[in-house]
Short mmCIF file of all heavy atoms in Angstrom, two decimals:
data_model
loop_
_atom_site.label_atom_id
_atom_site.label_comp_id
_atom_site.label_asym_id
_atom_site.label_seq_id
_atom_site.Cartn_x
_atom_site.Cartn_y
_atom_site.Cartn_z
N VAL O 1 -15.12 -32.96 -109.53
CA VAL O 1 -15.99 -32.63 -110.65
C VAL O 1 -15.31 -32.03 -111.72
O VAL O 1 -14.70 -31.00 -111.71
CB VAL O 1 -17.18 -31.68 -110.13
CG1 VAL O 1 -18.19 -31.34 -111.28
CG2 VAL O 1 -17.93 -32.16 -108.95
N CYS O 2 -15.29 -32.73 -112.93
CA CYS O 2 -14.63 -32.39 -114.01
C CYS O 2 -15.54 -32.09 -115.20
O CYS O 2 -15.72 -32.90 -116.09
CB CYS O 2 -13.54 -33.34 -114.53
SG CYS O 2 -12.32 -33.79 -113.25
N ASP O 3 -16.29 -30.99 -115.13
CA ASP O 3 -17.36 -30.74 -116.14
C ASP O 3 -17.06 -29.60 -116.98
O ASP O 3 -17.91 -28.84 -117.45
CB ASP O 3 -18.77 -30.59 -115.43
CG ASP O 3 -18.77 -29.23 -114.54
OD1 ASP O 3 -17.71 -28.72 -114.28
OD2 ASP O 3 -19.80 -28.93 -114.06
N GLY O 4 -15.75 -29.28 -117.20
CA GLY O 4 -15.33 -28.38 -118.30
C GLY O 4 -15.02 -26.97 -117.90
O GLY O 4 -15.14 -26.58 -116.72
N PHE O 5 -14.59 -26.24 -118.93
CA PHE O 5 -14.15 -24.99 -118.68
C PHE O 5 -14.93 -24.04 -119.55
O PHE O 5 -15.48 -24.42 -120.61
CB PHE O 5 -12.56 -24.74 -119.09
CG PHE O 5 -11.69 -25.30 -118.19
CD1 PHE O 5 -11.40 -26.73 -118.38
CD2 PHE O 5 -11.07 -24.64 -117.18
CE1 PHE O 5 -10.48 -27.36 -117.49
CE2 PHE O 5 -10.13 -25.32 -116.24
CZ PHE O 5 -9.92 -26.63 -116.43
N HIS O 6 -14.95 -22.70 -119.21
CA HIS O 6 -15.69 -21.71 -119.96
C HIS O 6 -14.74 -20.53 -120.16
O HIS O 6 -13.73 -20.41 -119.54
CB HIS O 6 -16.87 -21.28 -119.19
CG HIS O 6 -17.92 -22.28 -118.92
ND1 HIS O 6 -18.70 -22.92 -119.93
CD2 HIS O 6 -18.28 -22.90 -117.87
CE1 HIS O 6 -19.45 -23.84 -119.47
NE2 HIS O 6 -19.27 -23.90 -118.15
N SER O 7 -15.15 -19.58 -120.99
CA SER O 7 -14.33 -18.44 -121.26
C SER O 7 -14.11 -17.62 -120.03
O SER O 7 -15.01 -17.55 -119.15
CB SER O 7 -15.02 -17.54 -122.29
OG SER O 7 -15.30 -18.23 -123.48
N ALA O 8 -12.93 -17.09 -119.89
CA ALA O 8 -12.70 -16.23 -118.84
C ALA O 8 -13.59 -14.97 -118.92
O ALA O 8 -13.77 -14.43 -119.95
CB ALA O 8 -11.15 -15.84 -118.78
N PRO O 9 -14.20 -14.61 -117.70
CA PRO O 9 -15.06 -13.42 -117.76
C PRO O 9 -14.42 -12.11 -117.99
O PRO O 9 -15.14 -11.09 -118.15
CB PRO O 9 -15.75 -13.52 -116.35
CG PRO O 9 -14.65 -14.12 -115.51
CD PRO O 9 -13.96 -15.17 -116.41
N ILE O 10 -13.11 -12.05 -118.00
CA ILE O 10 -12.36 -10.83 -118.13
C ILE O 10 -12.72 -10.01 -119.35
O ILE O 10 -12.76 -8.84 -119.48
CB ILE O 10 -10.81 -10.99 -117.94
CG1 ILE O 10 -10.16 -9.59 -117.78
CG2 ILE O 10 -10.24 -11.76 -119.11
CD1 ILE O 10 -8.75 -9.73 -117.36
N GLY O 11 -13.01 -10.72 -120.49
CA GLY O 11 -13.43 -10.08 -121.71
C GLY O 11 -14.60 -9.11 -121.58
O GLY O 11 -14.57 -7.92 -122.05
N ARG O 12 -15.60 -9.61 -120.87
CA ARG O 12 -16.81 -8.86 -120.58
C ARG O 12 -16.45 -7.68 -119.61
O ARG O 12 -16.93 -6.48 -119.78
CB ARG O 12 -17.86 -9.67 -120.05
CG ARG O 12 -19.20 -9.05 -119.97
CD ARG O 12 -20.30 -10.15 -119.68
NE ARG O 12 -20.52 -10.97 -120.89
CZ ARG O 12 -21.06 -12.17 -120.77
NH1 ARG O 12 -21.36 -12.73 -119.73
NH2 ARG O 12 -21.30 -12.81 -121.98
N GLU O 13 -15.60 -8.05 -118.60
CA GLU O 13 -15.28 -7.10 -117.62
C GLU O 13 -14.45 -5.88 -118.21
O GLU O 13 -14.60 -4.80 -117.66
CB GLU O 13 -14.44 -7.71 -116.47
CG GLU O 13 -15.26 -8.80 -115.69
CD GLU O 13 -14.36 -9.61 -114.85
OE1 GLU O 13 -13.09 -9.46 -114.86
OE2 GLU O 13 -14.94 -10.56 -114.13
N LEU O 14 -13.76 -6.18 -119.26
CA LEU O 14 -12.97 -5.11 -119.94
C LEU O 14 -13.76 -4.26 -120.89
O LEU O 14 -13.28 -3.31 -121.44
CB LEU O 14 -11.78 -5.75 -120.66
CG LEU O 14 -10.70 -6.43 -119.87
CD1 LEU O 14 -9.70 -7.10 -120.80
CD2 LEU O 14 -9.93 -5.38 -118.95
N GLY O 15 -15.02 -4.65 -121.08
CA GLY O 15 -15.95 -3.85 -121.88
C GLY O 15 -15.74 -4.18 -123.43
O GLY O 15 -16.21 -3.39 -124.19
N LEU O 16 -15.12 -5.35 -123.67
CA LEU O 16 -15.03 -5.74 -124.99
C LEU O 16 -16.28 -6.60 -125.56
O LEU O 16 -17.08 -7.07 -124.79
CB LEU O 16 -13.82 -6.75 -125.22
CG LEU O 16 -12.49 -6.06 -124.71
CD1 LEU O 16 -11.35 -7.19 -124.83
CD2 LEU O 16 -12.13 -4.92 -125.63
N PRO O 17 -16.58 -6.46 -126.88
CA PRO O 17 -17.70 -7.21 -127.41
C PRO O 17 -17.61 -8.70 -127.13
O PRO O 17 -16.54 -9.20 -127.55
CB PRO O 17 -17.69 -6.77 -128.84
CG PRO O 17 -16.28 -6.45 -129.21
CD PRO O 17 -15.70 -5.78 -127.97
N THR O 18 -18.60 -9.32 -126.55
CA THR O 18 -18.53 -10.70 -126.27
C THR O 18 -19.88 -11.27 -126.69
O THR O 18 -20.93 -10.72 -126.92
CB THR O 18 -18.39 -10.94 -124.72
OG1 THR O 18 -19.43 -10.27 -123.94
CG2 THR O 18 -17.04 -10.46 -124.24
N SER O 19 -19.80 -12.72 -126.95
CA SER O 19 -20.95 -13.43 -127.30
C SER O 19 -21.70 -13.73 -125.95
O SER O 19 -21.17 -13.48 -124.81
CB SER O 19 -20.57 -14.72 -128.01
OG SER O 19 -19.64 -15.52 -127.20
N ARG O 20 -22.78 -14.40 -126.12
CA ARG O 20 -23.67 -14.81 -124.92
C ARG O 20 -22.95 -15.56 -123.91
O ARG O 20 -23.07 -15.51 -122.75
CB ARG O 20 -24.93 -15.46 -125.48
CG ARG O 20 -25.89 -15.74 -124.28
CD ARG O 20 -27.18 -16.35 -124.82
NE ARG O 20 -27.87 -15.47 -125.73
CZ ARG O 20 -29.00 -15.81 -126.43
NH1 ARG O 20 -29.50 -17.04 -126.32
NH2 ARG O 20 -29.53 -15.00 -127.30
N ASP O 21 -22.05 -16.49 -124.41
CA ASP O 21 -21.24 -17.42 -123.56
C ASP O 21 -19.95 -16.80 -122.91
O ASP O 21 -19.20 -17.39 -122.40
CB ASP O 21 -21.03 -18.65 -124.18
CG ASP O 21 -20.09 -18.66 -125.40
OD1 ASP O 21 -19.62 -17.47 -125.73
OD2 ASP O 21 -19.91 -19.58 -125.96
N GLY O 22 -19.75 -15.47 -123.28
CA GLY O 22 -18.63 -14.74 -122.69
C GLY O 22 -17.40 -14.65 -123.52
O GLY O 22 -16.39 -14.03 -123.14
N ARG O 23 -17.36 -15.35 -124.73
CA ARG O 23 -16.20 -15.32 -125.57
C ARG O 23 -16.10 -13.93 -126.18
O ARG O 23 -17.06 -13.34 -126.71
CB ARG O 23 -16.23 -16.39 -126.65
CG ARG O 23 -15.97 -17.82 -126.04
CD ARG O 23 -16.07 -18.90 -127.11
NE ARG O 23 -17.45 -18.99 -127.63
CZ ARG O 23 -17.69 -19.62 -128.75
NH1 ARG O 23 -16.67 -20.18 -129.39
NH2 ARG O 23 -18.97 -19.75 -129.18
N ILE O 24 -14.87 -13.44 -126.38
CA ILE O 24 -14.64 -12.17 -127.04
C ILE O 24 -14.95 -12.40 -128.56
O ILE O 24 -14.42 -13.31 -129.25
CB ILE O 24 -13.21 -11.66 -126.83
CG1 ILE O 24 -12.96 -11.50 -125.36
CG2 ILE O 24 -12.98 -10.41 -127.66
CD1 ILE O 24 -11.50 -11.24 -124.99
N ARG O 25 -15.73 -11.46 -129.13
CA ARG O 25 -16.00 -11.57 -130.50
C ARG O 25 -14.89 -11.07 -131.41
O ARG O 25 -14.35 -9.97 -131.13
CB ARG O 25 -17.26 -10.66 -130.84
CG ARG O 25 -18.60 -11.22 -130.30
CD ARG O 25 -19.72 -10.46 -130.77
NE ARG O 25 -20.99 -10.92 -130.33
CZ ARG O 25 -21.62 -12.02 -130.91
NH1 ARG O 25 -21.17 -12.63 -131.93
NH2 ARG O 25 -22.74 -12.44 -130.38
N VAL O 26 -14.46 -11.91 -132.36
CA VAL O 26 -13.38 -11.56 -133.25
C VAL O 26 -13.76 -11.84 -134.70
O VAL O 26 -14.79 -12.56 -135.04
CB VAL O 26 -12.13 -12.45 -132.92
CG1 VAL O 26 -11.57 -12.07 -131.56
CG2 VAL O 26 -12.51 -13.91 -133.10
N ASP O 27 -12.94 -11.26 -135.66
CA ASP O 27 -13.22 -11.50 -137.09
C ASP O 27 -12.33 -12.77 -137.42
O ASP O 27 -11.76 -13.44 -136.65
CB ASP O 27 -13.00 -10.35 -137.94
CG ASP O 27 -11.51 -9.93 -137.87
OD1 ASP O 27 -10.68 -10.60 -137.40
OD2 ASP O 27 -11.26 -8.73 -138.42
N SER O 28 -12.29 -12.99 -138.75
CA SER O 28 -11.62 -14.18 -139.33
C SER O 28 -10.06 -14.18 -139.03
O SER O 28 -9.36 -15.06 -139.11
CB SER O 28 -11.86 -14.38 -140.72
OG SER O 28 -11.32 -13.26 -141.49
N ALA O 29 -9.55 -12.89 -138.76
CA ALA O 29 -8.13 -12.76 -138.43
C ALA O 29 -7.89 -12.67 -136.94
O ALA O 29 -6.81 -12.44 -136.51
CB ALA O 29 -7.52 -11.50 -139.10
N LEU O 30 -8.97 -12.90 -136.09
CA LEU O 30 -8.85 -12.91 -134.61
C LEU O 30 -8.72 -11.45 -134.10
O LEU O 30 -8.42 -11.35 -132.96
CB LEU O 30 -7.77 -13.84 -134.05
CG LEU O 30 -7.83 -15.32 -134.42
CD1 LEU O 30 -6.70 -16.02 -133.81
CD2 LEU O 30 -9.23 -15.90 -134.10
N ARG O 31 -9.04 -10.44 -134.97
CA ARG O 31 -9.17 -9.10 -134.42
C ARG O 31 -10.47 -8.90 -133.60
O ARG O 31 -11.49 -9.41 -134.05
CB ARG O 31 -9.13 -8.07 -135.51
CG ARG O 31 -7.73 -7.88 -136.29
CD ARG O 31 -7.87 -6.77 -137.30
NE ARG O 31 -6.65 -6.59 -138.07
CZ ARG O 31 -6.28 -7.27 -139.08
NH1 ARG O 31 -7.15 -8.16 -139.61
NH2 ARG O 31 -5.18 -7.05 -139.72
N VAL O 32 -10.28 -8.26 -132.44
CA VAL O 32 -11.50 -7.91 -131.73
C VAL O 32 -12.32 -6.98 -132.59
O VAL O 32 -11.88 -6.00 -133.02
CB VAL O 32 -11.11 -7.32 -130.31
CG1 VAL O 32 -12.36 -6.97 -129.53
CG2 VAL O 32 -10.24 -8.27 -129.54
N GLU O 33 -13.63 -7.29 -132.59
CA GLU O 33 -14.59 -6.50 -133.36
C GLU O 33 -14.48 -5.05 -132.99
O GLU O 33 -14.58 -4.68 -131.83
CB GLU O 33 -16.01 -6.99 -133.16
CG GLU O 33 -16.25 -8.29 -133.85
CD GLU O 33 -17.73 -8.69 -133.75
OE1 GLU O 33 -18.58 -7.97 -133.07
OE2 GLU O 33 -18.09 -9.74 -134.31
N GLY O 34 -14.26 -4.14 -134.06
CA GLY O 34 -14.16 -2.74 -133.80
C GLY O 34 -12.76 -2.21 -133.48
O GLY O 34 -12.63 -0.94 -133.33
N PHE O 35 -11.65 -3.09 -133.33
CA PHE O 35 -10.42 -2.65 -133.01
C PHE O 35 -9.38 -3.28 -133.96
O PHE O 35 -9.21 -4.48 -133.92
CB PHE O 35 -10.18 -2.88 -131.53
CG PHE O 35 -11.11 -2.26 -130.64
CD1 PHE O 35 -12.12 -3.05 -130.08
CD2 PHE O 35 -11.03 -0.97 -130.28
CE1 PHE O 35 -13.00 -2.56 -129.28
CE2 PHE O 35 -11.88 -0.45 -129.37
CZ PHE O 35 -12.93 -1.19 -128.82
N ALA O 36 -8.63 -2.43 -134.78
CA ALA O 36 -7.78 -2.97 -135.83
C ALA O 36 -6.43 -3.51 -135.23
O ALA O 36 -5.93 -4.38 -135.77
CB ALA O 36 -7.37 -1.88 -136.79
#
């Protein structure tokens, strides 16, 4: 069954801000939201 990949759940497990599908939220420079 080759039905694709999803974001690794570790972002949520680390307590970082994530979207509903588990991706870590970043700004336009790929900085994690809230951390410079």
Side-chain angles (χ1 to χ4, degrees):
V1 181
C2 302
D3 63 351
F5 290 85
H6 300 290
S7 303
I10 192 169
R12 189 169 289 158
E13 294 167 1
L14 293 173
L16 299 175
T18 57
S19 60
R20 184 177 299 177
D21 63 4
R23 288 179 294 167
I24 298 172
R25 290 190 177 277
V26 297
D27 64 16
S28 60
L30 299 183
R31 288 185 180 88
V32 177
E33 288 185 358
F35 303 99

